[in-house]
Amino acid sequence: MRTILVCVAALWLSTAQEAAAQETRSTSPGQPPPAARIDELAWLSGEWAGPGIGGAPAREVYAAPLEGHLTGHFVQSGRDGIAFMELVDIVEEGGTLVYRLKHFNADLTGWEERREVRRFALVAKTDTAWFFDGLTIRRDGPDRMVGAVRIESSDGSARELVFHYTRVRPPVASQ
Amino acid sequence: MFRSLTFAVVLLASTAAHGQETRSASPDQPAPPAKIEDLAWLSGEWEGGGPGETRARAVFSGPTGDHLTGHFVQASADGVSFLELMDVVETNGTLVFRLRHFNADLTGWEEKDVVRSFPLVSVSGDAWFFDDLTFRKDGPDGMVAAVRARMADGGTRELVFRYRRIR
């Protein structure tokens, strides 16, 4: 019974997450990236947990900004433990921000080649949302955060994965 | 060139230990039993490093199942020197510490299938001795990490990082 309930919940979450929520934005030609500083994202530092892909637990953790870098890691659980991880590094570059990441299997072997880095340029921002190209970080109250990423399939169609996080470890009090 | 330069920075930044913080694996020694929960105290954010202008941050999340995942950032006066992705995993009743290194631009030091792996050698009080890599609880808000690094001349040297908990 419990299993069925969990499955139903997972299905519901999964459906909800893959809805066309329009959390993400894409870059358009000729559009200059907005000015932004790394300190704007200092609120991200700390640990966040919530339902991730398919409703399975996801976790992301960012350190307080250091030398223009906001560095973190992401862990997505699956049916048999950890599905994959990411090393995340947001940096201030040329007066704007770039979100960079690499993916890893649970055994720490990489998805990308050694020199290959996924980069997402900042496209737009509001007081509470930072829209990188196909990847959004949105502050949703003091202890909630929405992460969204656009996934493009091989047939050309795109869908959004949305992560609803709750803060589970507070930011550093004295910075 | 860049890597050896980075290494030189690390060397300058770190305290050369006169003590013996690290232990090496010996062929006949079985790995001691240990659980991932034993290292749950590592969860959180740690700030520290060596003397001078360098700073280091280590952040661990979870544990998530059998894993305790973290990342490490080493900065000097010139900015971030390098990063690490770390993962401690409970396997066969003992622990293995695994890590990978990255430049400040996130390009890797190791090829994508190469993972540095440090099996647990012994546990003593508040210290977990992985093979040439130690994590030691130093009071309620202190942590010492030590690594035995191989030098260009073939010798080895202990690099010791002292941290305090900031989260």
Side-chain angles (χ1 to χ4, degrees), chain A residues 152-173:
Chain A
E152 282 170 19
S153 306
S154 50
D155 64 4
S157 64
R159 64 192 174 103
E160 279 187 351
L161 293 178
V162 181
F163 302 76
H164 293 273
Y165 291 108
T166 302
R167 190 187 286 281
V168 295
R169 199 182 289 272
V172 178

Side-chain angles (χ1 to χ4, degrees), chain B:
Chain B
M1 175 59 192
F2 179 72
R3 200 175 304 181
S4 53
L5 224 152
T6 303
F7 202 55
V9 170
V10 175
L11 264 183
L12 286 171
S14 306
T15 314
H18 299 294
Q20 284 284 320
E21 289 280 2
T22 60
R23 296 182 189 178
S24 302
S26 54
D28 305 330
Q29 192 181 20
K35 294 183 174 304
I36 202 71
E37 286 81 16
D38 300 343
L39 285 179
W41 62 273
L42 270 177
S43 289
E45 183 166 348
W46 303 84
E47 188 174 65
E53 298 176 56
T54 62
R55 283 177 293 164
R57 289 261 171 79
V59 184
F60 289 89
S61 64
T64 306
D66 295 338
H67 292 251
L68 186 76
T69 309
H71 68 270
F72 168 86
V73 183
Q74 169 82 51
S76 70
D78 298 328
V80 170
S81 315
F82 70 98
L83 316 169
E84 291 174 4
L85 180 63
M86 307 179 283
D87 191 46
V88 195
V89 62
E90 184 179 326
T91 176
N92 299 321
T94 185
L95 300 176
V96 178
F97 195 102
R98 306 178 305 188
L99 65 83
R100 300 185 57 138
H101 299 86
F102 305 88
N103 297 313
D105 67 0
L106 233 57
T107 55
W109 289 16
E110 296 88 12
E111 293 299 333
K112 73 172 187 174
D113 289 331
V114 178
V115 178
R116 297 285 311 275
S117 207
F118 305 80
L120 190 65
V121 173
S122 63
V123 179
S124 174
D126 282 340
W128 283 258
F129 297 93
F130 297 90
D131 187 14
D132 290 339
L133 177 73
T134 299
F135 284 85
R136 184 163 63 78
K137 198 173 182 178
D138 188 24
D141 288 317
M143 186 258 285
V144 173
V147 60
R148 177 165 293 282
R150 189 162 293 281
M151 301 293 108
D153 64 4
T156 63
R157 183 173 169 182
E158 263 189 7
L159 307 177
V160 179
F161 299 81
R162 296 180 189 282
Y163 293 94
R164 69 182 175 90
R165 184 189 291 280
I166 59 172
R167 196 193 303 277

